[in-house]
Amino acid sequence: GQQLNQSPQSMFIQEGEDVSMNCTSSSIFNTWLWYKQDPGEGPVLLIALYKAGELTSNGRLTAQFGITRKDSFLNISASIPSDVGIYFCAGQYAGKSTFGDGTTLTVKP
Amino acid sequence: DTAVSQTPKYLVTQMGNDKSIKCEQNLGHDTMYWYKQDSKKFLKIMFSYNNKELIINETVPNRFSPKSPDKAHLNLHINSLELGDSAVYFCASSPYEGQGRYGYTFGSGTRLTVV
């Protein structure tokens, strides 16, 4: 089946720093999505990308759909304490969705 | 106004028992899902229903049986619970099959602990 490799697995950063994480696959996807999961809650959609090469922003978040359609990255600028959580990428192809195994972000004030 | 609501939030039960988790969405979505999140936080699809019809049934023990009485509800019944069933179970919904443009809307999860 399709697999998504998400890296890094975890990050410990200082408040104010920028963050970058990515997701790669050996398979192509038509849609890439990024979710954030707060402790004790379900994942919440942050950004969805539909076209190879697409770059989309949502506030301090920027995500890109890789040209090869096999990867995507998410950047968070000027991190704040409430950015802590688990970030999941997800890819979709032919009606089938696959989730990455998450990047856990810790922000030290 | 919770969009996808699951009950209960926490469930602690003994091995061998039978239990159910309920899910309801008020978004008017056609498709609903059950995901299992293990201790390593990996999200694994279990089932999906589109307008009450089962469309995805991943390799899940047949002790797990989903039921969708209407497109706004998808319940999960688990027979003969085992220790390995301990996990967080998420219900999710989407306007149509697949994540598409809008992604999934997840519930807040049911933490199942089998002792």
Side-chain angles (χ1 to χ4, degrees), chain A:
Chain A
Q2 296 166 321
Q3 282 192 314
L4 293 182
N5 299 307
Q6 203 169 335
S7 67
Q9 273 196 320
S10 58
M11 304 181 76
F12 295 83
I13 61 165
Q14 206 71 40
E15 184 178 357
E17 287 182 2
D18 296 343
V19 171
S20 186
M21 58 189 80
N22 65 68
C23 211
T24 59
S25 174
S26 56
S27 309
I28 61 170
F29 290 98
N30 288 335
T31 307
W32 282 94
L33 305 101
W34 287 90
Y35 291 82
K36 183 194 177 202
Q37 183 178 17
D38 288 328
E41 297 296 328
V44 173
L45 182 66
L46 298 173
I47 291 179
L49 305 152
Y50 319 110
K51 233 165 67 166
E54 180 181 354
L55 186 73
T56 296
S57 293
N58 178 4
R60 293 178 296 106
L61 277 59
T62 303
Q64 184 155 30
F65 191 143
I67 290 289
T68 64
R69 294 168 65 195
K70 293 182 180 180
D71 60 352
S72 178
F73 72 74
L74 176 71
N75 284 346
I76 306 172
S77 62
S79 58
I80 58 179
S82 62
D83 289 335
V84 298
I86 305 174
Y87 291 79
F88 290 98
C89 63
Q92 164 116 353
Y93 184 80
K96 195 170 168 67
S97 293
T98 305
F99 279 84
D101 44 13
T103 293
T104 301
L105 179 64
T106 304
V107 180
K108 292 178 273 190

Side-chain angles (χ1 to χ4, degrees), chain B residues 17-63:
Chain B
N17 283 351
D18 303 339
K19 290 292 177 187
S20 291
I21 307 172
K22 294 187 175 181
C23 180
E24 175 181 3
Q25 54 97 0
N26 62 5
L27 299 166
H29 288 172
D30 280 349
T31 310
M32 296 184 73
Y33 311 82
W34 278 110
Y35 273 83
K36 180 181 180 181
Q37 186 173 47
D38 61 23
S39 56
K40 293 185 179 174
K41 307 300 182 186
F42 183 65
L43 282 162
K44 186 172 166 53
I45 181 77
M46 298 173 71
F47 303 103
S48 77
Y49 272 74
N50 186 59
N51 213 356
K52 301 194 298 174
E53 186 182 331
L54 180 67
I55 52 173
I56 292 178
N57 184 355
E58 291 293 311
T59 309
V60 174
N62 58 14
R63 298 180 294 104

Side-chain angles (χ1 to χ4, degrees), chain B residues 73-94:
Chain B
H73 295 85
L74 180 62
N75 303 323
L76 183 65
H77 188 75
I78 316 169
N79 287 331
S80 304
L81 278 153
E82 299 177 357
L83 293 175
D85 297 331
S86 296
V88 181
Y89 293 84
F90 285 103
C91 178
S93 71
S94 60

